[in-house]
Amino acid sequence: MEPARRQLTRLFSDVFTAKGFDAKLGSVSVSDRPDLAQFQCNGALAGAKSLKRNPRELATEIIGAVEALASQRFPLNDRPNDQLKDATAKPFTLSIAGPGFINIVLHDELLVQFVRGQAADKARLGCEPTASPRTVVIDYGGPNVAKGMHVGHLRSSIIGDSIVRIYRFMGDKVIGDNHVGDWGTQMGMLICQLREKQPQLPYFDPGFSGTYPSESPVTLPDLEVMYPAASKRYETDETFKAEVLRATDELQSGRRGYKALWQHFVNVTVSDLTRDYEKLGIKFDYWLGESFYEERMPALVERLKASGLTEMSEGALIIPLANEQEPEMPPLILVKSGGGFLYHTSDLATCEYRVEHFKADLALAVVDARQTMHFKQVFKAARLTGLTGKCEFVHLPFGTMNGTDGKPFKTRAGGVLKLKDLIQMVNDEAKKRLGELAVDRPYSPEELEEIASKVGVATLKYADLKHNRSADYVFDLEKFAKFEGHTGPYLLYATVRIKSILRKALSQGLSAGKIIAPTRESERRLMLEMQRLADVLTMTYNEREPHHLCEYGFNVSQAFNTFYTDCHILRETDPDRQASWLALATLAHDHLEFALGLLGISVPDRM
Ligand code: ARG
């Protein structure tokens, strides 16, 4: 069953259209005064203004017309005899407020139909899949070999993973791709750095024709020391820089020993990254890093040259992008002066591959807002050159995760925070806080570890997802690890608490039954919150903004808490009411677990 707001919007829009107005005026929203109404429609105001009529008069007319259609559109059919005595009852009451707003309050019997529909649909809770599923490539993660994953990559991974889950649930064919940075100058730096320390290794001997060792000569911690040292020298030492550029060139033109060494660097990094991702519950379908496109780039460049859209400029081959609408847009650089491909080139090849190979209808790149210009250029060039075909390319930017000092998040000692340390930090915090909490304790040390890791991941992910995607935000561990407030641990706690209530009920021989019309406001509010789910999910999907789901989960938790304090489920003496309350509690639990699931957050059994 479609959520109430959407059905009401349709009804009101039909009425407005029939009266010669724009259908948009029929838009119904959740009331911003829940004490007065559940929903509202403000269209009569704009409608009256356009005709210079009295808005309250028009509102009265609209109400009359809506009421004439109401019972036929919303039959109160599913009525147990003892529930709905009044056969003339209307599905909702309408009233005029202020200058001409129309307030809407659903009849309890109608409200209950919405939640019953959700309860009967365990798998989807009443959320329909999209009517026109697409093939969608989602580019997220994108850490760089040897540089370690920083918080920007973490945000991309967390937001991207949630968007993957949401799109999949909506019925799209989703391809999740981790576009690892594994091909740039940093590779030349590592090669030169290692050559100085261990020149005897066979990788550096051009005459070597045997098989290279299968064991990597370096570990990830080695690379993490080597990279910053090399990158510092690269900036200051001209000879070193020239060597690095030559080594990068040689690698890219296929020098055997360098290729083998490069493969070690990649393997060492990727296996470590995979472990980190495992801890976060994040999986990719593909890891097609920049290097994957190396083979495709020369042919692509040749084709583009032939198309006549390229130009030479200061020794570089470019695609000019400035036009009347965007006179300032810098060109895309296909081949740099002196030869060699760039980040622009590999991303253009990536666009082509996503269209050609994956047949994508939509390609989303979940990447830091600082790369906005890069993607604008690449997508524009792809469109101009016809590489995009019918595929829509969209950059989904996100803001920076800052520390409480307002600067990009660092360790206490001031260094760039490694993901591993961050995970450790949130887990430790979770463990500490769990000690202060008692729902189902005591638990074994292993169980404590497992719960703490789930709470830790929830802390991290929820903090990242609850904010408007494009906003910078301050990661305040103290605040985000709390079990109260708008936090991941709070939502987990709320969900686990319902689980524990349901377990207790079961042990007392009680079970859920048919949901009946609410008699208390707290019950009504919980139902009203929950019937919105499909509406919230559609909004999340259309806007690609998981924070709507976070708010939704938070609201349901709050509404459940009020309901639970008000309605003493386990002590209720009316068995039908008790069974209905248990069904509501079960539904609230399912809603929370569902919303958290789409955020990539898993719920422990106990806490
Ligand atoms: N490796 C890049 C970075 O760290 C992110 C890759 C994003 N994806 C892409 N197709 N460019 O900035």
Side-chain angles (χ1 to χ4, degrees):
M1 194 162 175
E2 255 187 301
R5 193 199 61 79
R6 252 193 256 165
Q7 293 203 45
L8 287 168
T9 293
R10 214 171 19 247
L11 173 55
F12 274 76
S13 298
D14 288 351
V15 165
F16 273 101
T17 327
K19 292 193 174 294
F21 292 102
D22 187 341
K24 280 204 197 81
L25 296 188
S27 164
V28 169
S29 53
V30 172
S31 169
D32 47 24
R33 286 289 303 273
D35 51 326
L36 298 182
Q38 297 170 342
F39 302 93
Q40 67 190 63
C41 175
N42 304 342
L45 288 173
K49 197 169 170 201
S50 69
L51 296 182
K52 299 201 170 62
R53 281 186 56 187
N54 175 331
R56 286 184 68 100
E57 228 176 77
L58 179 60
T60 313
E61 221 178 90
I62 299 287
I63 288 182
V66 168
E67 278 180 343
L69 286 174
S71 302
Q72 162 200 339
R73 294 276 188 100
F74 295 94
L76 294 177
N77 50 9
D78 190 11
R79 49 176 99 144
N81 301 332
D82 57 342
Q83 284 290 316
L84 190 66
K85 297 219 171 67
D86 178 6
T88 63
K90 293 181 190 155
F92 40 76
T93 33
L94 304 174
S95 57
I96 304 181
F101 304 114
I102 301 175
N103 276 342
I104 308 161
V105 177
L106 302 185
H107 192 290
D108 286 338
E109 204 53 48
L110 177 60
L111 176 58
V112 95
Q113 285 177 23
F114 286 103
V115 270
R116 271 190 207 143
Q118 293 182 325
D121 180 13
K122 268 268 178 202
R124 303 193 63 93
L125 297 172
C127 301
E128 297 277 325
T130 169
S132 40
R134 291 165 294 183
T135 299
V136 185
V137 174
I138 303 182
D139 175 330
Y140 64 114
N144 300 316
V145 167
K147 290 197 204 168
M149 202 188 316
H150 61 62
V151 289
H153 300 123
L154 177 66
R155 283 211 81 186
S156 169
S157 308
I158 291 175
I159 297 171
D161 175 62
S162 174
I163 291 179
V164 164
R165 290 168 194 266
I166 292 162
Y167 269 69
R168 255 189 204 133
F169 179 79
M170 291 303 285
D172 289 307
K173 179 180 167 204
V174 177
I175 294 139
D177 183 19
N178 192 357
H179 193 86
V180 191
D182 58 1
W183 201 237
T185 324
Q186 86 259 31
M187 293 302 167
M189 295 187 199
L190 294 171
I191 291 172
C192 293
Q193 192 79 356
L194 186 65
R195 190 174 51 201
E196 273 183 22
K197 276 202 296 183
Q198 303 187 50
Q200 78 289 357
L201 290 174
Y203 307 98
F204 304 115
D205 173 4
F208 185 80
S209 59
T211 328
Y212 293 108
S214 57
E215 190 81 10
S216 170
V218 288
T219 62
L220 187 70
D222 294 336
L223 290 182
E224 284 172 351
V225 176
M226 282 159 64
Y227 174 71
S231 110
K232 212 179 199 162
R233 279 183 70 196
Y234 183 81
E235 296 304 325
T236 50
D237 178 343
E238 283 301 320
T239 344
F240 184 70
K241 185 171 175 175
E243 274 173 36
V244 165
L245 291 177
R246 195 171 52 242
T248 311
D249 249 19
E250 285 178 330
L251 166 69
Q252 299 193 343
S253 26
R255 179 165 162 175
R256 225 178 124 250
Y258 288 1
K259 231 13 211 298
L261 200 49
W262 164 82
Q263 193 62 58
H264 284 308
F265 297 158
V266 172
N267 292 351
V268 162
T269 309
V270 168
S271 70
D272 183 74
L273 285 172
T274 310
R275 271 195 299 276
D276 282 345
Y277 279 128
E278 236 161 58
K279 283 192 204 138
L280 293 171
I282 294 176
K283 259 207 208 104
F284 299 90
D285 300 314
Y286 292 91
W287 290 65
L288 303 180
E290 281 171 34
S291 65
F292 176 80
Y293 299 96
E294 179 66 8
E295 281 176 9
R296 307 179 64 92
M297 286 192 271
L300 173 64
V301 168
E302 284 316 309
R303 246 175 300 135
L304 292 179
K305 258 192 200 159
S307 76
L309 290 161
T310 59
E311 256 174 37
M312 286 307 288
S313 166
E314 296 170 34
L317 185 71
I318 63 160
I319 300 180
L321 297 173
N323 56 11
E324 241 166 66
Q325 289 83 35
E326 292 165 310
E328 304 291 333
M329 184 169 284
L332 179 120
I333 305 175
L334 266 182
V335 184
K336 61 183 173 192
S337 72
F341 302 132
L342 294 155
Y343 191 37
H344 272 161
T345 332
S346 65
D347 260 337
L348 205 55
T350 306
C351 290
E352 183 190 45
Y353 187 74
R354 287 178 179 163
V355 174
E356 257 181 38
H357 179 81
F358 290 122
K359 311 270 179 270
D361 302 305
L362 173 68
L364 304 174
V366 188
V367 186
D368 202 305
R370 282 170 288 195
Q371 294 192 29
T372 300
M373 184 45 98
H374 169 78
F375 284 107
K376 262 200 184 138
Q377 292 176 283
V378 170
F379 295 161
K380 187 166 184 182
R383 252 193 329 273
L384 280 177
T385 53
L387 290 184
T388 46
K390 286 200 197 73
C391 180
E392 183 191 356
F393 283 86
V394 183
H395 173 212
L396 297 185
F398 54 82
T400 310
M401 170 174 154
N402 289 322
T404 37
D405 58 359
K407 303 209 184 91
F409 200 83
K410 295 258 162 71
T411 54
R412 289 219 172 104
V416 175
L417 192 67
K418 284 206 230 118
L419 179 60
K420 246 180 272 320
D421 302 332
L422 184 60
I423 294 178
Q424 190 60 48
M425 214 164 103
V426 290
N427 283 3
D428 290 347
E429 188 71 20
K431 233 180 280 174
K432 191 176 100 198
R433 306 257 176 162
L434 278 166
E436 300 157 9
L437 189 88
V439 186
D440 288 323
R441 284 193 299 151
Y443 14 66
S444 66
E446 298 81 52
E447 200 182 353
L448 177 65
E449 279 307 320
E450 198 197 310
I451 297 173
S453 103
K454 284 193 170 153
V455 175
V457 169
T459 305
L460 205 56
K461 288 192 174 178
Y462 197 82
D464 235 9
L465 294 168
K466 75 173 231 188
H467 299 94
N468 209 313
R469 189 169 27 78
S470 51
D472 292 348
Y473 83 95
V474 171
F475 185 79
D476 182 346
L477 183 56
E478 277 286 299
K479 192 166 118 199
F480 294 150
K482 281 205 175 113
F483 282 99
E484 66 264 3
H486 198 175
T487 70
Y490 168 73
L491 257 84
L492 281 191
Y493 181 62
T495 316
V496 168
R497 195 162 77 122
I498 308 180
K499 268 194 208 192
S500 128
I501 295 164
L502 293 172
R503 262 201 299 266
K504 199 155 166 195
L506 197 67
S507 75
Q508 295 179 11
L510 304 173
S511 55
K514 181 171 185 161
I515 300 178
I516 55 179
T519 52
R520 297 173 190 232
E521 194 48 28
S522 64
E523 209 183 343
R524 195 170 286 124
R525 291 244 58 101
L526 177 60
M527 291 187 187
L528 206 55
E529 239 6 286
M530 291 198 293
Q531 66 79 32
R532 293 183 59 214
L533 179 64
D535 215 14
V536 174
L537 185 62
T538 310
M539 188 158 69
T540 310
Y541 175 65
N542 290 341
E543 294 175 19
R544 297 142 185 166
E545 280 284 10
H547 81 262
H548 293 307
L549 269 180
C550 294
E551 262 144 55
Y552 175 77
F554 181 66
N555 292 341
V556 170
S557 307
Q558 297 279 70
F560 180 82
N561 283 348
T562 314
F563 158 77
Y564 186 63
T565 318
D566 188 33
C567 303
H568 303 276
I569 305 182
L570 299 179
R571 276 187 272 139
E572 173 59 35
T573 50
D574 173 351
D576 286 345
R577 176 107 355 238
Q578 187 177 47
S580 169
W581 283 350
L582 278 171
L584 268 189
T586 310
L587 191 58
H589 166 271
D590 294 351
H591 274 247
L592 287 174
E593 197 158 63
F594 172 78
L596 288 168
L598 290 184
L599 298 171
I601 297 176
S602 65
V603 184
D605 269 336
R606 317 194 294 161
M607 264 167 86

